[in-house]
Amino acid sequence: MAPGAFRPAPKVRSALIRLTPLREPLVRPEEVAALRVFVAACFSRRRKQLKNVVPGVDLKALGFDPTIRPERLSPEAFVRLLRAQPSC
């Protein structure tokens, strides 16, 4: 609804979104906990470049720009990086 529909009019706009589950999940059930830890670690250092967040991974070979920041990655990219980790 538009802000003018309310009295007093709020200073924000709202939106309704619909989320549709994927047919196939991005991660296997056994990867969920590791992905949560991995993403949390990436975002604990948001201002860092990817090369500093995931050391020991050949980012260029995986098609990643090593200077990109984690907040610019898609969910699929996080899964690819998780699976490329030496401990995975």
Side-chain angles (χ1 to χ4, degrees):
M1 296 190 92
F6 301 93
R7 295 285 179 248
K11 292 180 171 58
V12 296
R13 292 193 62 90
S14 62
L16 180 65
I17 62 169
R18 179 179 299 201
L19 301 176
T20 305
L22 300 172
R23 289 184 193 264
E24 293 291 324
L26 286 177
V27 293
R28 297 181 294 270
E30 62 273 11
E31 293 176 311
V32 171
L35 182 64
R36 285 182 183 177
V37 169
F38 178 68
V39 171
C42 288
F43 280 97
S44 70
R45 298 176 240 152
R46 280 181 53 136
R47 304 285 307 158
K48 295 285 187 180
Q49 295 178 347
L50 199 56
K51 65 185 176 188
N52 297 321
V53 175
V54 270
V57 174
D58 188 354
L59 296 168
K60 287 185 180 182
L62 292 171
F64 289 100
D65 173 1
T67 63
I68 198 169
R69 299 190 192 285
E71 59 265 25
R72 307 262 332 258
L73 297 177
S74 68
E76 294 84 2
F78 279 106
V79 173
R80 284 183 45 222
L81 285 171
L82 172 72
R83 291 179 179 158
Q85 294 292 305
S87 61
C88 218

